[in-house]
Amino acid sequence: MTANTQLHLGFHGRIIEHIGIQMYQSPTAALAEIVSNAWDADATEVDIKFDFDADRKTGWTITILDNGNGMTKEECQQKFLSVGFNRREQDGPKATSFQKSRPLMGRKGIGKFAGFGIARFIKIDTVSRETGEQTVFELDQEVIRKGDSYVSTSALDIAATHVENAASRHHGTKITLRDLDLNRRIPVDQFRASLARRFLINSTADEFTIKVDDVAICDNTDHSAIEMSFPRDLPPADIAARGVTVDDAGWGVETIADGKTVRWRVQFFKELVKNEELFGITIFAHKKLAQRPFMFNLSGGLASQAGPEYMSGQVVADWVDELGDDVISTERQRLRWEHPELSDLQDWGQALIRRLLSIWKSNRSSEKLRLLESKVGTFSERLDALGSEKIVVRTALSKLAQIEKLSAIQFQELGSAILLAWEGGRLKGLIQKIARTDDMDEGELISILAEANAITALHTAETVNAKLQAINGLEARVQRKELENAVRDYIAKNPWLISPRWETFAVEKRLATICETAYAEAYKGNTDFDKRIDLILSSDRQLLVLEFMRPGITLDSDHLHRFGLYMDILQEHIEANTALGLDYPAGFIVADRLAKKPGFKTQIKNMNANSRHALDWDALLSQAKHQWKEFLVHVKERSPEDARLKAVGTEEGRAEHQAPSTIVKT
């Protein structure tokens, strides 16, 4: 039987602004309070549904449905509509839930109004597990807030419906929030993650699952991103000294003072923790957030260290919610650290953070050195080659490895640059200074990085400049028609002379017989190619064929035809010999000059489509020089004000106008 009835709100006025609006203006904070009530009501499932399909925000709704104990009509009046009802006052600070004996999350009796932080209307539809009765009523924030007084002595009537036996509904409570005060739709994935961080619940062991739009929230920590985890990585001496025991779930358990027990775990990530909800140590009491992430109020030198930026952890201290005084702030975001009962916890937390930072810093330094030695192939050999000086360089590298803000990759690059600088006789004074320094600050690091970057760029620039001069030497030989085998062999050993992209190519010797066969078929009877210089290079699966015509021969259409035939025959042989693992070959035919007959340029253009190119020596070498000069410009831009870099290549322009009698070797 359904009947209209009347309930009463024991107060009204603008006090709602303080207990519902000002403290719970984020969806996560507001809905977390409603979820807490479901836990206290012995629910095993809570389903949160977002309905944002309506075009206007006033039509958006959020529904929270649980399968808990529900409420009778009397409980709705005495517990829900009695603002400030505190069950702990009746059952003591360690009060538990009725069915499952869970430690209660709620304490202040005002979280039920948290929905007013994001909505005008809160509708309650509840069915009692005990009696089966159903009670439905709705609260309107604007009606409740009427009047100027903060507290009214008269009760506010609340219209309700009551069904003595709601056989069609399972027990539990459904709360609907409507006329939402939201700027935009709630990002569901982000909300799930944020809500999960407000609770420390194992859905299996605690028989409590929270779903958002039918997807259960969970701890989505990327464990592959964790570099160190404590207490797992605590040295045995620390475990003994602190009296830490490790439980089956990997949490450290300690007794700090007066029998007060804490459970804790702390991780250090490989990269900076960018999410503020993870940065620092979170404290939980009775499965719920009591203190948002922080560093136990540490100050002083801690702010200048990089370690905290990689740290994220949790501490469980249920006893903070069982003290005679309520030490958790109303919005359950922070503890009242000025309370004397919390001084031992703060001292313990500060000591833990300092010790873990020290261990992390030491371990990270060792790991960086290990990575450097394992990933930089010539590291050990290069150090050994320094003889007695290697102690200085290794010590300097150890000091650099202790700088937390230097990632493993950055350290590898910097370590290689330091070695290169020492080997080249540069930066010895700076490296010796690093080795003698006890603590390196960020200013010194920046100067080291800048100088190491300049040294690396200088080394690269000098190498490029030497290659440019070698190209000048080759160009002089070509101009003097000295295309003998020595030139070909030199190009074979230094393919970068033709183009930077050929730096990794080497002479391919497996194709000698195939090339001879292809040549015999393609060039038979053509005397221009009797003394040709050919070169076959390869890199991985790529194949490069170079044909150099005799000095004095002009490249014409017949030559292009025969070269194309030669490449076709070579391709057929390569395709037939699949074990070679080679792709389609690219080809270059190079001569003193190209014919100027009509149609010849079109013929060359058509060849290019098949990765076959014809050009004269001047074009080939000019192109190579242009590419290397561009490379040199980019290298110099890495340290544009460095005088040493500016000086590199100034002699290169003079070298272009000279004619070296020999090829410059690098």
Side-chain angles (χ1 to χ4, degrees), residues 598-635:
F600 187 70
K601 290 183 179 179
T602 301
Q603 191 176 359
I604 293 177
K605 183 178 179 181
N606 293 337
M607 283 176 55
N608 291 343
N610 292 321
S611 297
R612 298 169 186 178
H613 312 281
L615 64 170
D616 57 34
W617 275 104
D618 182 63
L620 183 68
L621 295 178
S622 294
Q623 177 179 279
K625 282 199 293 185
H626 175 73
Q627 291 172 338
W628 282 114
K629 285 178 180 178
E630 279 194 335
F631 189 10
L632 184 59
V633 169
H634 292 311
V635 171

mmCIF file of all heavy atoms in Angstrom, residues 598-635:
data_model
loop_
_atom_site.group_PDB
_atom_site.id
_atom_site.type_symbol
_atom_site.label_atom_id
_atom_site.label_comp_id
_atom_site.label_asym_id
_atom_site.label_seq_id
_atom_site.Cartn_x
_atom_site.Cartn_y
_atom_site.Cartn_z
ATOM 1 N N PRO A 598 67.789 16.485 -77.541
ATOM 2 C CA PRO A 598 66.361 16.550 -77.190
ATOM 3 C C PRO A 598 65.868 15.198 -76.650
ATOM 4 O O PRO A 598 66.212 14.139 -77.173
ATOM 5 C CB PRO A 598 65.687 16.897 -78.525
ATOM 6 C CG PRO A 598 66.756 17.563 -79.323
ATOM 7 C CD PRO A 598 68.037 16.881 -78.942
ATOM 8 N N GLY A 599 65.057 15.255 -75.622
ATOM 9 C CA GLY A 599 64.474 14.039 -75.055
ATOM 10 C C GLY A 599 65.342 13.349 -74.024
ATOM 11 O O GLY A 599 64.881 12.438 -73.323
ATOM 12 N N PHE A 600 66.603 13.755 -73.914
ATOM 13 C CA PHE A 600 67.516 13.070 -72.995
ATOM 14 C C PHE A 600 67.116 13.319 -71.525
ATOM 15 O O PHE A 600 67.113 12.397 -70.702
ATOM 16 C CB PHE A 600 68.945 13.546 -73.249
ATOM 17 C CG PHE A 600 69.980 12.783 -72.460
ATOM 18 C CD1 PHE A 600 70.265 11.452 -72.764
ATOM 19 C CD2 PHE A 600 70.665 13.379 -71.413
ATOM 20 C CE1 PHE A 600 71.213 10.751 -72.044
ATOM 21 C CE2 PHE A 600 71.606 12.683 -70.696
ATOM 22 C CZ PHE A 600 71.883 11.356 -71.005
ATOM 23 N N LYS A 601 66.728 14.565 -71.214
ATOM 24 C CA LYS A 601 66.322 14.868 -69.844
ATOM 25 C C LYS A 601 65.063 14.098 -69.441
ATOM 26 O O LYS A 601 64.924 13.639 -68.304
ATOM 27 C CB LYS A 601 66.086 16.374 -69.686
ATOM 28 C CG LYS A 601 67.363 17.202 -69.746
ATOM 29 C CD LYS A 601 67.065 18.670 -69.507
ATOM 30 C CE LYS A 601 68.352 19.502 -69.548
ATOM 31 N NZ LYS A 601 68.069 20.954 -69.328
ATOM 32 N N THR A 602 64.146 13.948 -70.402
ATOM 33 C CA THR A 602 62.929 13.169 -70.122
ATOM 34 C C THR A 602 63.276 11.718 -69.839
ATOM 35 O O THR A 602 62.690 11.075 -68.947
ATOM 36 C CB THR A 602 61.963 13.256 -71.309
ATOM 37 O OG1 THR A 602 61.624 14.626 -71.551
ATOM 38 C CG2 THR A 602 60.693 12.460 -71.038
ATOM 39 N N GLN A 603 64.237 11.169 -70.596
ATOM 40 C CA GLN A 603 64.670 9.796 -70.390
ATOM 41 C C GLN A 603 65.252 9.615 -68.971
ATOM 42 O O GLN A 603 64.973 8.617 -68.301
ATOM 43 C CB GLN A 603 65.712 9.419 -71.449
ATOM 44 C CG GLN A 603 66.042 7.938 -71.485
ATOM 45 C CD GLN A 603 67.001 7.610 -72.630
ATOM 46 O OE1 GLN A 603 67.386 8.494 -73.401
ATOM 47 N NE2 GLN A 603 67.362 6.357 -72.740
ATOM 48 N N ILE A 604 66.048 10.601 -68.530
ATOM 49 C CA ILE A 604 66.618 10.545 -67.175
ATOM 50 C C ILE A 604 65.501 10.622 -66.128
ATOM 51 O O ILE A 604 65.501 9.885 -65.134
ATOM 52 C CB ILE A 604 67.628 11.686 -66.961
ATOM 53 C CG1 ILE A 604 68.858 11.468 -67.849
ATOM 54 C CG2 ILE A 604 68.047 11.784 -65.496
ATOM 55 C CD1 ILE A 604 69.871 12.587 -67.763
ATOM 56 N N LYS A 605 64.530 11.507 -66.359
ATOM 57 C CA LYS A 605 63.419 11.657 -65.424
ATOM 58 C C LYS A 605 62.641 10.357 -65.279
ATOM 59 O O LYS A 605 62.245 9.962 -64.173
ATOM 60 C CB LYS A 605 62.499 12.786 -65.894
ATOM 61 C CG LYS A 605 61.348 13.083 -64.953
ATOM 62 C CD LYS A 605 60.515 14.251 -65.468
ATOM 63 C CE LYS A 605 59.347 14.531 -64.539
ATOM 64 N NZ LYS A 605 58.518 15.654 -65.048
ATOM 65 N N ASN A 606 62.405 9.665 -66.388
ATOM 66 C CA ASN A 606 61.683 8.390 -66.348
ATOM 67 C C ASN A 606 62.473 7.327 -65.579
ATOM 68 O O ASN A 606 61.896 6.463 -64.911
ATOM 69 C CB ASN A 606 61.384 7.914 -67.768
ATOM 70 C CG ASN A 606 60.390 8.814 -68.482
ATOM 71 O OD1 ASN A 606 59.606 9.517 -67.836
ATOM 72 N ND2 ASN A 606 60.417 8.818 -69.803
ATOM 73 N N MET A 607 63.788 7.377 -65.683
ATOM 74 C CA MET A 607 64.625 6.438 -64.939
ATOM 75 C C MET A 607 64.496 6.639 -63.428
ATOM 76 O O MET A 607 64.483 5.676 -62.647
ATOM 77 C CB MET A 607 66.099 6.611 -65.329
ATOM 78 C CG MET A 607 66.493 6.006 -66.664
ATOM 79 S SD MET A 607 68.220 6.404 -67.018
ATOM 80 C CE MET A 607 69.031 5.781 -65.560
ATOM 81 N N ASN A 608 64.393 7.907 -63.031
ATOM 82 C CA ASN A 608 64.351 8.209 -61.598
ATOM 83 C C ASN A 608 63.196 7.513 -60.895
ATOM 84 O O ASN A 608 63.285 7.178 -59.709
ATOM 85 C CB ASN A 608 64.238 9.724 -61.382
ATOM 86 C CG ASN A 608 65.506 10.447 -61.786
ATOM 87 O OD1 ASN A 608 66.559 9.831 -61.928
ATOM 88 N ND2 ASN A 608 65.406 11.754 -61.970
ATOM 89 N N ALA A 609 62.103 7.293 -61.646
ATOM 90 C CA ALA A 609 60.937 6.640 -61.052
ATOM 91 C C ALA A 609 61.252 5.222 -60.605
ATOM 92 O O ALA A 609 60.573 4.665 -59.736
ATOM 93 C CB ALA A 609 59.775 6.637 -62.046
ATOM 94 N N ASN A 610 62.275 4.615 -61.199
ATOM 95 C CA ASN A 610 62.682 3.249 -60.841
ATOM 96 C C ASN A 610 63.940 3.236 -59.981
ATOM 97 O O ASN A 610 64.664 2.234 -59.945
ATOM 98 C CB ASN A 610 62.920 2.426 -62.111
ATOM 99 C CG ASN A 610 61.646 2.159 -62.873
ATOM 100 O OD1 ASN A 610 60.606 1.901 -62.282
ATOM 101 N ND2 ASN A 610 61.716 2.246 -64.201
ATOM 102 N N SER A 611 64.206 4.366 -59.301
ATOM 103 C CA SER A 611 65.393 4.482 -58.432
ATOM 104 C C SER A 611 66.684 4.296 -59.212
ATOM 105 O O SER A 611 67.642 3.704 -58.719
ATOM 106 C CB SER A 611 65.319 3.469 -57.273
ATOM 107 O OG SER A 611 64.213 3.725 -56.449
ATOM 108 N N ARG A 612 66.696 4.779 -60.460
ATOM 109 C CA ARG A 612 67.906 4.757 -61.286
ATOM 110 C C ARG A 612 68.200 6.191 -61.709
ATOM 111 O O ARG A 612 67.328 6.885 -62.218
ATOM 112 C CB ARG A 612 67.704 3.863 -62.507
ATOM 113 C CG ARG A 612 67.432 2.416 -62.107
ATOM 114 C CD ARG A 612 66.976 1.581 -63.278
ATOM 115 N NE ARG A 612 66.577 0.244 -62.851
ATOM 116 C CZ ARG A 612 66.093 -0.690 -63.671
ATOM 117 N NH1 ARG A 612 65.961 -0.426 -64.971
ATOM 118 N NH2 ARG A 612 65.742 -1.872 -63.193
ATOM 119 N N HIS A 613 69.450 6.614 -61.488
ATOM 120 C CA HIS A 613 69.769 8.019 -61.658
ATOM 121 C C HIS A 613 71.020 8.192 -62.512
ATOM 122 O O HIS A 613 71.956 7.400 -62.418
ATOM 123 C CB HIS A 613 69.995 8.669 -60.291
ATOM 124 C CG HIS A 613 68.914 8.347 -59.295
ATOM 125 N ND1 HIS A 613 67.700 8.982 -59.288
ATOM 126 C CD2 HIS A 613 68.874 7.422 -58.291
ATOM 127 C CE1 HIS A 613 66.950 8.484 -58.310
ATOM 128 N NE2 HIS A 613 67.645 7.534 -57.693
ATOM 129 N N ALA A 614 71.000 9.254 -63.318
ATOM 130 C CA ALA A 614 72.158 9.596 -64.143
ATOM 131 C C ALA A 614 72.550 11.034 -63.841
ATOM 132 O O ALA A 614 71.687 11.919 -63.775
ATOM 133 C CB ALA A 614 71.821 9.440 -65.621
ATOM 134 N N LEU A 615 73.835 11.270 -63.632
ATOM 135 C CA LEU A 615 74.304 12.621 -63.352
ATOM 136 C C LEU A 615 75.810 12.695 -63.586
ATOM 137 O O LEU A 615 76.491 11.667 -63.679
ATOM 138 C CB LEU A 615 73.969 13.046 -61.928
ATOM 139 C CG LEU A 615 74.588 12.308 -60.737
ATOM 140 C CD1 LEU A 615 74.277 13.087 -59.454
ATOM 141 C CD2 LEU A 615 74.040 10.904 -60.581
ATOM 142 N N ASP A 616 76.274 13.937 -63.727
ATOM 143 C CA ASP A 616 77.718 14.082 -63.932
ATOM 144 C C ASP A 616 78.412 14.249 -62.579
ATOM 145 O O ASP A 616 77.773 14.442 -61.542
ATOM 146 C CB ASP A 616 78.021 15.258 -64.869
ATOM 147 C CG ASP A 616 77.452 16.574 -64.366
ATOM 148 O OD1 ASP A 616 77.412 16.761 -63.126
ATOM 149 O OD2 ASP A 616 77.059 17.410 -65.197
ATOM 150 N N TRP A 617 79.774 14.166 -62.625
ATOM 151 C CA TRP A 617 80.542 14.216 -61.389
ATOM 152 C C TRP A 617 80.328 15.526 -60.640
ATOM 153 O O TRP A 617 80.231 15.548 -59.407
ATOM 154 C CB TRP A 617 82.036 14.044 -61.699
ATOM 155 C CG TRP A 617 82.439 12.606 -61.797
ATOM 156 C CD1 TRP A 617 82.701 11.894 -62.911
ATOM 157 C CD2 TRP A 617 82.623 11.709 -60.688
ATOM 158 N NE1 TRP A 617 83.034 10.599 -62.607
ATOM 159 C CE2 TRP A 617 82.998 10.466 -61.236
ATOM 160 C CE3 TRP A 617 82.507 11.836 -59.312
ATOM 161 C CZ2 TRP A 617 83.260 9.353 -60.449
ATOM 162 C CZ3 TRP A 617 82.766 10.736 -58.515
ATOM 163 C CH2 TRP A 617 83.133 9.502 -59.086
ATOM 164 N N ASP A 618 80.236 16.613 -61.371
ATOM 165 C CA ASP A 618 80.084 17.910 -60.725
ATOM 166 C C ASP A 618 78.787 17.966 -59.917
ATOM 167 O O ASP A 618 78.764 18.425 -58.775
ATOM 168 C CB ASP A 618 80.108 19.019 -61.782
ATOM 169 C CG ASP A 618 79.996 20.400 -61.156
ATOM 170 O OD1 ASP A 618 80.911 20.767 -60.390
ATOM 171 O OD2 ASP A 618 78.993 21.089 -61.406
ATOM 172 N N ALA A 619 77.703 17.462 -60.504
ATOM 173 C CA ALA A 619 76.405 17.467 -59.807
ATOM 174 C C ALA A 619 76.432 16.542 -58.597
ATOM 175 O O ALA A 619 75.903 16.874 -57.520
ATOM 176 C CB ALA A 619 75.302 17.045 -60.776
ATOM 177 N N LEU A 620 77.064 15.376 -58.765
ATOM 178 C CA LEU A 620 77.101 14.405 -57.679
ATOM 179 C C LEU A 620 77.859 14.959 -56.466
ATOM 180 O O LEU A 620 77.378 14.914 -55.324
ATOM 181 C CB LEU A 620 77.756 13.103 -58.162
ATOM 182 C CG LEU A 620 77.793 11.958 -57.141
ATOM 183 C CD1 LEU A 620 76.390 11.449 -56.872
ATOM 184 C CD2 LEU A 620 78.681 10.830 -57.633
ATOM 185 N N LEU A 621 79.040 15.505 -56.712
ATOM 186 C CA LEU A 621 79.847 15.998 -55.608
ATOM 187 C C LEU A 621 79.295 17.305 -55.032
ATOM 188 O O LEU A 621 79.391 17.546 -53.828
ATOM 189 C CB LEU A 621 81.293 16.185 -56.061
ATOM 190 C CG LEU A 621 82.017 14.879 -56.442
ATOM 191 C CD1 LEU A 621 83.424 15.173 -56.927
ATOM 192 C CD2 LEU A 621 82.064 13.927 -55.257
ATOM 193 N N SER A 622 78.707 18.139 -55.862
ATOM 194 C CA SER A 622 78.101 19.381 -55.365
ATOM 195 C C SER A 622 76.938 19.067 -54.436
ATOM 196 O O SER A 622 76.749 19.713 -53.393
ATOM 197 C CB SER A 622 77.615 20.252 -56.531
ATOM 198 O OG SER A 622 78.708 20.705 -57.300
ATOM 199 N N GLN A 623 76.161 18.065 -54.817
ATOM 200 C CA GLN A 623 75.039 17.646 -53.983
ATOM 201 C C GLN A 623 75.532 17.120 -52.637
ATOM 202 O O GLN A 623 74.970 17.447 -51.579
ATOM 203 C CB GLN A 623 74.233 16.563 -54.710
ATOM 204 C CG GLN A 623 73.075 15.992 -53.899
ATOM 205 C CD GLN A 623 72.301 14.949 -54.684
ATOM 206 O OE1 GLN A 623 71.454 15.298 -55.497
ATOM 207 N NE2 GLN A 623 72.601 13.690 -54.449
ATOM 208 N N ALA A 624 76.596 16.309 -52.663
ATOM 209 C CA ALA A 624 77.150 15.767 -51.422
ATOM 210 C C ALA A 624 77.651 16.891 -50.523
ATOM 211 O O ALA A 624 77.405 16.908 -49.308
ATOM 212 C CB ALA A 624 78.275 14.782 -51.733
ATOM 213 N N LYS A 625 78.373 17.859 -51.108
ATOM 214 C CA LYS A 625 78.886 18.976 -50.310
ATOM 215 C C LYS A 625 77.743 19.792 -49.701
ATOM 216 O O LYS A 625 77.810 20.202 -48.539
ATOM 217 C CB LYS A 625 79.771 19.882 -51.179
ATOM 218 C CG LYS A 625 81.158 19.312 -51.413
ATOM 219 C CD LYS A 625 82.140 20.381 -51.851
ATOM 220 C CE LYS A 625 81.789 20.910 -53.229
ATOM 221 N NZ LYS A 625 82.823 21.874 -53.706
ATOM 222 N N HIS A 626 76.728 20.019 -50.493
ATOM 223 C CA HIS A 626 75.587 20.792 -49.996
ATOM 224 C C HIS A 626 74.947 20.100 -48.794
ATOM 225 O O HIS A 626 74.622 20.746 -47.780
ATOM 226 C CB HIS A 626 74.561 20.973 -51.120
ATOM 227 C CG HIS A 626 73.301 21.656 -50.671
ATOM 228 N ND1 HIS A 626 73.258 23.003 -50.377
ATOM 229 C CD2 HIS A 626 72.046 21.163 -50.451
ATOM 230 C CE1 HIS A 626 72.026 23.318 -49.996
ATOM 231 N NE2 HIS A 626 71.278 22.223 -50.030
ATOM 232 N N GLN A 627 74.763 18.783 -48.879
ATOM 233 C CA GLN A 627 74.132 18.044 -47.785
ATOM 234 C C GLN A 627 74.991 18.075 -46.522
ATOM 235 O O GLN A 627 74.491 18.276 -45.410
ATOM 236 C CB GLN A 627 73.869 16.599 -48.219
ATOM 237 C CG GLN A 627 72.785 16.485 -49.284
ATOM 238 C CD GLN A 627 72.665 15.078 -49.843
ATOM 239 O OE1 GLN A 627 73.596 14.283 -49.775
ATOM 240 N NE2 GLN A 627 71.503 14.782 -50.406
ATOM 241 N N TRP A 628 76.308 17.899 -46.669
ATOM 242 C CA TRP A 628 77.185 17.924 -45.498
ATOM 243 C C TRP A 628 77.279 19.326 -44.903
ATOM 244 O O TRP A 628 77.370 19.492 -43.678
ATOM 245 C CB TRP A 628 78.582 17.420 -45.870
ATOM 246 C CG TRP A 628 78.652 15.922 -45.969
ATOM 247 C CD1 TRP A 628 78.883 15.177 -47.066
ATOM 248 C CD2 TRP A 628 78.492 14.994 -44.887
ATOM 249 N NE1 TRP A 628 78.886 13.833 -46.769
ATOM 250 C CE2 TRP A 628 78.649 13.698 -45.427
ATOM 251 C CE3 TRP A 628 78.239 15.119 -43.525
ATOM 252 C CZ2 TRP A 628 78.544 12.539 -44.647
ATOM 253 C CZ3 TRP A 628 78.136 13.973 -42.743
ATOM 254 C CH2 TRP A 628 78.291 12.704 -43.307
ATOM 255 N N LYS A 629 77.235 20.363 -45.750
ATOM 256 C CA LYS A 629 77.268 21.729 -45.233
ATOM 257 C C LYS A 629 76.004 22.042 -44.425
ATOM 258 O O LYS A 629 76.067 22.717 -43.388
ATOM 259 C CB LYS A 629 77.421 22.727 -46.382
ATOM 260 C CG LYS A 629 78.830 22.773 -46.977
ATOM 261 C CD LYS A 629 78.898 23.745 -48.144
ATOM 262 C CE LYS A 629 80.300 23.800 -48.742
ATOM 263 N NZ LYS A 629 80.379 24.707 -49.903
ATOM 264 N N GLU A 630 74.872 21.562 -44.924
ATOM 265 C CA GLU A 630 73.624 21.745 -44.171
ATOM 266 C C GLU A 630 73.713 21.067 -42.811
ATOM 267 O O GLU A 630 73.273 21.600 -41.783
ATOM 268 C CB GLU A 630 72.438 21.179 -44.956
ATOM 269 C CG GLU A 630 71.903 22.097 -46.027
ATOM 270 C CD GLU A 630 70.550 21.636 -46.536
ATOM 271 O OE1 GLU A 630 70.255 20.429 -46.430
ATOM 272 O OE2 GLU A 630 69.792 22.482 -47.022
ATOM 273 N N PHE A 631 74.277 19.863 -42.817
ATOM 274 C CA PHE A 631 74.469 19.129 -41.582
ATOM 275 C C PHE A 631 75.349 19.929 -40.621
ATOM 276 O O PHE A 631 75.063 20.046 -39.425
ATOM 277 C CB PHE A 631 75.097 17.765 -41.900
ATOM 278 C CG PHE A 631 75.149 16.812 -40.730
ATOM 279 C CD1 PHE A 631 74.493 17.076 -39.533
ATOM 280 C CD2 PHE A 631 75.869 15.634 -40.835
ATOM 281 C CE1 PHE A 631 74.544 16.195 -38.474
ATOM 282 C CE2 PHE A 631 75.929 14.736 -39.780
ATOM 283 C CZ PHE A 631 75.270 15.024 -38.592
ATOM 284 N N LEU A 632 76.410 20.522 -41.139
ATOM 285 C CA LEU A 632 77.325 21.303 -40.311
ATOM 286 C C LEU A 632 76.619 22.520 -39.713
ATOM 287 O O LEU A 632 76.834 22.862 -38.544
ATOM 288 C CB LEU A 632 78.532 21.745 -41.148
ATOM 289 C CG LEU A 632 79.642 22.506 -40.410
ATOM 290 C CD1 LEU A 632 80.215 21.668 -39.281
ATOM 291 C CD2 LEU A 632 80.733 22.930 -41.388
ATOM 292 N N VAL A 633 75.771 23.153 -40.496
ATOM 293 C CA VAL A 633 75.022 24.312 -39.998
ATOM 294 C C VAL A 633 74.144 23.911 -38.819
ATOM 295 O O VAL A 633 74.095 24.593 -37.781
ATOM 296 C CB VAL A 633 74.162 24.925 -41.123
ATOM 297 C CG1 VAL A 633 73.175 25.952 -40.544
ATOM 298 C CG2 VAL A 633 75.045 25.588 -42.165
ATOM 299 N N HIS A 634 73.439 22.780 -38.952
ATOM 300 C CA HIS A 634 72.558 22.321 -37.875
ATOM 301 C C HIS A 634 73.353 21.967 -36.619
ATOM 302 O O HIS A 634 72.913 22.228 -35.500
ATOM 303 C CB HIS A 634 71.749 21.110 -38.326
ATOM 304 C CG HIS A 634 70.733 21.428 -39.386
ATOM 305 N ND1 HIS A 634 69.863 22.489 -39.258
ATOM 306 C CD2 HIS A 634 70.447 20.842 -40.574
ATOM 307 C CE1 HIS A 634 69.082 22.537 -40.331
ATOM 308 N NE2 HIS A 634 69.422 21.555 -41.144
ATOM 309 N N VAL A 635 74.517 21.369 -36.794
ATOM 310 C CA VAL A 635 75.358 21.026 -35.643
ATOM 311 C C VAL A 635 75.792 22.286 -34.911
ATOM 312 O O VAL A 635 75.756 22.363 -33.678
ATOM 313 C CB VAL A 635 76.587 20.196 -36.086
ATOM 314 C CG1 VAL A 635 77.561 20.033 -34.920
ATOM 315 C CG2 VAL A 635 76.156 18.835 -36.600
#
